[in-house]
mmCIF file of all heavy atoms in Angstrom:
data_model
loop_
_atom_site.group_PDB
_atom_site.id
_atom_site.type_symbol
_atom_site.label_atom_id
_atom_site.label_comp_id
_atom_site.label_asym_id
_atom_site.label_seq_id
_atom_site.Cartn_x
_atom_site.Cartn_y
_atom_site.Cartn_z
ATOM 1 N N ASN A 135 96.463 -128.259 130.614
ATOM 2 C CA ASN A 135 96.798 -127.607 129.357
ATOM 3 C C ASN A 135 98.292 -127.967 129.003
ATOM 4 O O ASN A 135 98.683 -128.125 127.786
ATOM 5 C CB ASN A 135 96.759 -126.050 129.539
ATOM 6 C CG ASN A 135 96.973 -125.371 128.282
ATOM 7 O OD1 ASN A 135 96.373 -125.534 127.221
ATOM 8 N ND2 ASN A 135 97.953 -124.450 128.208
ATOM 9 N N THR A 136 99.085 -128.214 130.001
ATOM 10 C CA THR A 136 100.601 -128.493 129.620
ATOM 11 C C THR A 136 100.664 -129.871 128.956
ATOM 12 O O THR A 136 101.375 -129.997 127.937
ATOM 13 C CB THR A 136 101.326 -128.690 130.943
ATOM 14 O OG1 THR A 136 101.268 -127.476 131.675
ATOM 15 C CG2 THR A 136 102.872 -129.023 130.652
ATOM 16 N N GLN A 137 99.731 -130.915 129.387
ATOM 17 C CA GLN A 137 99.862 -132.099 128.678
ATOM 18 C C GLN A 137 99.200 -132.042 127.294
ATOM 19 O O GLN A 137 99.686 -132.730 126.355
ATOM 20 C CB GLN A 137 99.007 -133.192 129.519
ATOM 21 C CG GLN A 137 99.686 -133.750 130.660
ATOM 22 C CD GLN A 137 99.809 -132.570 131.858
ATOM 23 O OE1 GLN A 137 98.976 -131.741 131.920
ATOM 24 N NE2 GLN A 137 100.987 -132.802 132.556
ATOM 25 N N HIS A 138 98.145 -131.089 127.185
ATOM 26 C CA HIS A 138 97.732 -130.971 125.728
ATOM 27 C C HIS A 138 98.616 -130.301 124.860
ATOM 28 O O HIS A 138 98.708 -130.821 123.659
ATOM 29 C CB HIS A 138 96.439 -130.104 126.018
ATOM 30 C CG HIS A 138 95.258 -130.583 126.775
ATOM 31 N ND1 HIS A 138 94.336 -129.796 127.476
ATOM 32 C CD2 HIS A 138 95.007 -131.919 127.240
ATOM 33 C CE1 HIS A 138 93.509 -130.561 128.078
ATOM 34 N NE2 HIS A 138 93.842 -131.923 128.050
ATOM 35 N N LYS A 139 99.398 -129.323 125.294
ATOM 36 C CA LYS A 139 100.236 -128.724 124.405
ATOM 37 C C LYS A 139 101.497 -129.645 124.192
ATOM 38 O O LYS A 139 102.063 -129.637 123.014
ATOM 39 C CB LYS A 139 100.871 -127.466 125.147
ATOM 40 C CG LYS A 139 99.727 -126.327 125.217
ATOM 41 C CD LYS A 139 100.300 -125.185 125.922
ATOM 42 C CE LYS A 139 101.434 -124.488 125.441
ATOM 43 N NZ LYS A 139 101.862 -123.214 126.070
ATOM 44 N N TYR A 140 101.681 -130.549 125.044
ATOM 45 C CA TYR A 140 102.828 -131.521 124.852
ATOM 46 C C TYR A 140 102.405 -132.401 123.700
ATOM 47 O O TYR A 140 103.250 -132.879 122.859
ATOM 48 C CB TYR A 140 103.144 -132.303 126.188
ATOM 49 C CG TYR A 140 104.172 -133.419 126.065
ATOM 50 C CD1 TYR A 140 105.502 -132.970 126.115
ATOM 51 C CD2 TYR A 140 103.886 -134.712 125.895
ATOM 52 C CE1 TYR A 140 106.458 -133.895 126.115
ATOM 53 C CE2 TYR A 140 104.936 -135.567 125.726
ATOM 54 C CZ TYR A 140 106.309 -135.174 125.808
ATOM 55 O OH TYR A 140 107.300 -136.119 125.767
ATOM 56 N N VAL A 141 101.127 -132.922 123.782
ATOM 57 C CA VAL A 141 100.684 -133.819 122.746
ATOM 58 C C VAL A 141 100.849 -133.054 121.428
ATOM 59 O O VAL A 141 101.210 -133.693 120.398
ATOM 60 C CB VAL A 141 99.181 -134.265 122.965
ATOM 61 C CG1 VAL A 141 98.675 -135.010 121.789
ATOM 62 C CG2 VAL A 141 99.212 -135.014 124.265
ATOM 63 N N LEU A 142 100.361 -131.870 121.286
ATOM 64 C CA LEU A 142 100.373 -131.058 120.033
ATOM 65 C C LEU A 142 101.801 -131.027 119.579
ATOM 66 O O LEU A 142 102.043 -131.263 118.295
ATOM 67 C CB LEU A 142 99.645 -129.650 120.232
ATOM 68 C CG LEU A 142 99.817 -128.781 119.019
ATOM 69 C CD1 LEU A 142 98.843 -129.331 118.082
ATOM 70 C CD2 LEU A 142 99.427 -127.367 119.417
ATOM 71 N N ALA A 143 102.685 -130.633 120.407
ATOM 72 C CA ALA A 143 104.001 -130.365 119.968
ATOM 73 C C ALA A 143 104.678 -131.669 119.556
ATOM 74 O O ALA A 143 105.456 -131.718 118.540
ATOM 75 C CB ALA A 143 104.917 -129.853 121.087
ATOM 76 N N SER A 144 104.421 -132.779 120.111
ATOM 77 C CA SER A 144 104.947 -134.067 119.811
ATOM 78 C C SER A 144 104.416 -134.413 118.451
ATOM 79 O O SER A 144 105.300 -134.977 117.566
ATOM 80 C CB SER A 144 104.661 -135.112 120.827
ATOM 81 O OG SER A 144 105.160 -136.398 120.508
ATOM 82 N N LEU A 145 103.217 -134.284 118.243
ATOM 83 C CA LEU A 145 102.587 -134.605 116.865
ATOM 84 C C LEU A 145 103.267 -133.775 115.781
ATOM 85 O O LEU A 145 103.471 -134.362 114.632
ATOM 86 C CB LEU A 145 101.190 -134.448 116.848
ATOM 87 C CG LEU A 145 100.232 -135.392 117.732
ATOM 88 C CD1 LEU A 145 98.883 -134.938 117.819
ATOM 89 C CD2 LEU A 145 100.374 -136.888 117.215
ATOM 90 N N ALA A 146 103.538 -132.584 116.097
ATOM 91 C CA ALA A 146 104.212 -131.757 115.123
ATOM 92 C C ALA A 146 105.617 -131.930 114.814
ATOM 93 O O ALA A 146 106.019 -132.109 113.714
ATOM 94 C CB ALA A 146 103.913 -130.163 115.468
#
Side-chain angles (χ1 to χ4, degrees):
N135 185 60
T136 303
Q137 285 70 31
H138 297 156
K139 292 173 66 174
Y140 182 81
V141 172
L142 176 68
S144 179
L145 290 173

